Amino acid sequence: MPERRTVALVTLGCARNEVDSEELAGRLEADGWQLVKDAAEADVAVVNTCGFVEAAKKDSVDALLEASDLKGNGRTKAVVAVGCMAERYGKELAEALPEADGVLGFDDYADISDRLQTILSGGIHAPHTPRDRRKLLPISPVERQQAKADVVIPGHGPADLPEGVAPASGPRAPLRRRLDGSPVASVKLASGCDRRCSFCAIPSFRGSFVSRRPSDVLNETRWLAEQGVKEVMLVSENNTSYGKDLGDIRLLESLLPELAAVDGIERIRVSYLQPAEMRPGLIDVLTGTEKVAPYFDLSFQHSAPGVLRAMRRFGDTDRFLQLLDTIRSKAPEAGVRSNFIVGFPGETEDDLAELERFLDAARLDAIGVFGYSDEEGTEAAGFDGKLDEDVVAERLERVTRLAEELVSQRAEERIGETVRVLVESVDDEEGVLGRAAHQAPETDGQVLLTGAETVRVGEMVEAKVTGAQGVDLVAQPLPGALGREEAGR
């Protein structure tokens, strides 16, 4: 019997990439590949790259070079690039990085097993010439559902796994295999984006906005619950647009209660919300539905009107603060995070002061700050009024410092609150760590539970916040909280 082929998936970038990697893992395992965690133990190392900003692209190249160093020193025979950077640059990346034995685009995902086998056998799969994926589907959103069958959209794989890959009983999941045992998993709600922000290249290589069917999202959530997942995070480039191509822009409002009712799921989290598309009904569901986290990942990007218009976005400081007031009037303890770009072409000192005014008043739980840099293929790359790199760096440092102070203050405001903490790790040295409803994975800090040595990963524990360390919290389980978790088993 021939030795089984082995493959390792190395994932960089956002939660959407993590879902894509698990789809690739499902396809490969269904075709007989053995999944291993360590690239050094794999015949083929597949690096799922990120192509969003310069730092992410550098990390992706470093990961590819690190994996290529394994060749000749052990089992690894080939290194293959997939993901956003591979899709965005294709042939150009292959020529610039000969250390990679293959560069595969999204169109290769459906045939990933054959592609890897060809490369592993010493063959060559020609890298693609990138194209604007927004042009692959009709302009009209409602026409895309019929047309998408002819377009490869990562995360929108077949509705059912092949026999023997999914659990023997229970709802079938999309073609996916979990790559870790975390009690948290992301689920793709949609892919692509119809917005035309002048600084963003994502729509050009991720394509136009396409929703997944509610039944597919529900079935995948049920399957994940069977795998022991307790929290599901809904991801896409823009969750507030969900359903517009299915004929119902308010579809998310009806889907969320159904997801929250799935047996075994303790928390549903929605990420990637556009402030300009927030509507009263969605706010009501996010703040008033049991097991749906009152969590708002709002993509503000700036608050000075002139900068926002140049970004082809909408809003201003006062409108954004009004939105936050509306949210907190319904859920005072709601979590809010956002990202901001400083040093955008034409940004003045007054614009920066306006952003600082907003940050001072917004009481955000987590803030990401990025310095502007040109992204090829974007409208902003051709703008006049570019700021010197040292000016951008100074503004980045200034706003980052302010952001760190403000999120620390916001964490201290939570002292005395009662939070529900999902336990994610139990370690003799680091203690018991988890996250509250206002904290998304990886980005928003965590909670250290004291006096909770008997808990296990995946438990949901009610606790009182007793301290703060930067953005992180310290909390003590409430009397009887641990007993209630055990009694519910």
Side-chain angles (χ1 to χ4, degrees), residues 200-247:
C200 184
I202 289 175
S204 67
F205 57 84
R206 276 290 184 179
S208 299
F209 184 88
V210 182
S211 302
R212 293 180 67 201
R213 295 279 178 180
S215 58
D216 289 343
V217 177
L218 272 166
N219 281 341
E220 185 168 351
T221 299
R222 291 173 182 138
W223 180 78
L224 287 168
E226 287 187 338
Q227 310 302 301
V229 169
K230 299 299 181 183
E231 177 178 325
V232 163
M233 184 166 73
L234 301 178
V235 299
S236 76
E237 279 74 21
N238 177 10
N239 281 332
T240 36
S241 283
Y242 179 68
K244 72 176 186 179
D245 52 326
L246 296 172

Side-chain angles (χ1 to χ4, degrees), residues 146-158:
Q146 286 70 42
K148 74 175 185 179
D150 299 323
V151 178
V152 175
I153 305 175
H156 292 235

Side-chain angles (χ1 to χ4, degrees), residues 30-59:
D31 202 45
W33 291 77
Q34 179 181 353
L35 303 172
V36 296
K37 290 185 177 181
D38 188 351
E41 301 299 322
D43 295 318
V44 183
V46 177
V47 180
N48 192 347
T49 60
C50 178
F52 179 42
V53 294
E54 244 0 271
K57 286 183 273 190
K58 182 182 182 303
D59 289 344

Side-chain angles (χ1 to χ4, degrees), residues 354-373:
E354 183 67 3
L355 173 58
E356 291 171 327
R357 180 172 83 88
F358 171 69
L359 292 174
D360 281 331
R363 296 170 56 236
L364 303 178
D365 291 277
I367 301 170
V369 187
F370 300 88
Y372 173 81
S373 62

Side-chain angles (χ1 to χ4, degrees), residues 448-453 455 461-464 466 475-482:
L448 171 65
L449 284 174
T450 59
E453 291 76 11
V455 302
V461 179
E462 286 191 34
K464 183 176 181 178
T466 58
Q476 176 78 33
L478 295 178
L482 304 182

Side-chain angles (χ1 to χ4, degrees), residues 313-348:
R313 298 178 66 84
F314 306 94
D316 56 45
T317 295
D318 293 336
R319 273 185 274 188
F320 289 163
L321 291 176
Q322 184 178 17
L323 172 60
L324 295 178
D325 286 344
T326 299
I327 291 168
R328 289 173 175 142
S329 69
K330 298 175 182 295
E333 297 176 0
V336 185
R337 72 154 288 114
S338 191
N339 293 323
F340 300 88
I341 298 173
V342 298
F344 194 78
E347 181 190 63
T348 66

Side-chain angles (χ1 to χ4, degrees), residues 342 347-349 352 387 391-399:
V342 298
E347 181 190 63
T348 66
E349 277 291 340
L352 195 67
L387 304 183
V391 174
V392 176
E394 185 277 328
R395 292 184 180 185
L396 174 61
E397 181 181 358
R398 168 177 157 185
V399 177

